[in-house]
Amino acid sequence: IFSTIILVSSMVWAPESHGLDSLQASSADTVIFVDVDGVLNVGSRDGDTPVLINETGLGDALKLYGKHKKHPLRDTIERLVSIARREPESGEGAIYSQLACPGDDSVSGILLERLCKLIKAAGEQRIVVLSSKWQKYKKRVHRLEADISRHLGLSFAFDAQSGVDEEGTPESRLQSVGRFLEGFCDWRGDSLSSLRVLMLEDFHITALNGSWTCDGMPMCSTADAEQYLRNRMPHSEQVSVRVIHTYDEWLTDSGLLVEVGCGLTKKHLHAAAEFLSCEKVHVPPAKDSLHCLGSSAVNGCSKRTLDGNGASSLGQSPQKLRRISAPAPRRKACKSQGIALFKAPELNGVS
């Protein structure tokens, strides 16, 4: 009976069960795990309701800002405006509003283009695995694949899916990728030689600060997440792992915590490209996605102030914190008191 159990468990993982071609699996030298929300778009943790950052939601928040103190969504409005004005601490040369999804779309074209640069840099023997909860939504995935195809200039489809982490927690996401890699390596067996593993992930807009564990291992840094994945694979100097954690956080002037799945910033893109051992990729400057609102509506302060980030990271001085939320110039009263919020399917299951 014992030997039968071992045989069954060893047969659980197969390339085909993840949509992966066995020939491609046997020859791959690079595996890229792609999350969507917080990687190919920007999302904010807003209490228990994560919000997708797009032009429509930001536009509504900017119209209400300055008269939002008694609004039932005042914290949400303050977070969105702070995000709109914030420049990532990565030499981005742009503010988050410029990385927002156009209209009410779910993916940022700028961030999608950056993913495509990494896909090209990975070479022909790559496997691109969808690790996002978007796996549950076939129509969304098909649209995403079509968008990637347009940016690549050739037909693209994800080579595999990691399997949905139904719990929707940072640990369940890391575990699902770990299971895929463990099964993949066991299936490859002695044929496993050089292998690069790149994971693009915001862990459901969650910091790597020791606040959560994975199989008893505290996650205090990307190095911890990388070590967890190495532990799921055979020990080999030919196996390398890099986790790109697309996460940012700061405090607003009022002390409100802003947590963001910040997308593939320039810093993240260059770190991933360096891992793939390719030349430094060229990143064109981001265009202002909210040009229709006018620069003063987005900025609410001078360009010189925004170049100082328009916000302050946790632990910085109160003087810098006060530079975040300078009131926007007075405008005529807005008729609408509503704000269009778009919830990320990655975190709450919206189809």
Side-chain angles (χ1 to χ4, degrees), residues 99-226:
L99 302 180
C101 300
D104 57 0
D105 287 356
S106 300
V107 176
S108 164
I110 294 172
L111 302 180
L112 199 62
E113 179 66 29
R114 294 176 182 180
L115 172 65
C116 292
K117 290 178 183 292
L118 295 178
I119 291 174
K120 291 178 181 178
E124 295 298 324
Q125 291 180 283
R126 65 177 181 260
I127 295 174
V128 184
V129 182
L130 181 63
S131 54
S132 166
K133 204 168 185 177
W134 277 42
Q135 294 171 74
K136 296 174 65 175
Y137 313 114
K138 292 183 179 180
K139 290 183 178 180
R140 286 180 177 270
V141 173
H142 290 158
R143 288 197 297 268
L144 177 59
E145 291 172 334
D147 288 338
I148 295 175
S149 296
R150 283 193 292 272
H151 282 273
L152 284 175
L154 52 86
S155 179
F156 172 87
F158 286 100
D159 300 303
Q161 297 187 356
S162 64
V164 178
D165 57 314
E166 295 292 349
E167 295 178 20
T169 62
E171 52 266 39
S172 66
R173 173 57 53 78
L174 190 57
Q175 287 168 342
S176 69
V177 170
R179 283 193 299 270
F180 183 99
L181 288 171
E182 183 177 12
F184 175 77
C185 292
D186 288 346
W187 180 84
R188 287 262 294 246
D190 293 339
S191 64
L192 181 65
S193 54
S194 176
L195 183 67
R196 299 176 299 185
V197 176
L198 176 64
M199 184 179 183
L200 308 175
E201 179 65 55
D202 75 330
F203 292 113
H204 300 293
I205 318 181
T206 305
L208 290 168
N209 57 7
S211 61
W212 57 282
T213 63
C214 190
D215 293 340
M217 183 176 179
M219 293 294 121
C220 302
S221 65
T222 54
D224 291 331
E226 291 165 357

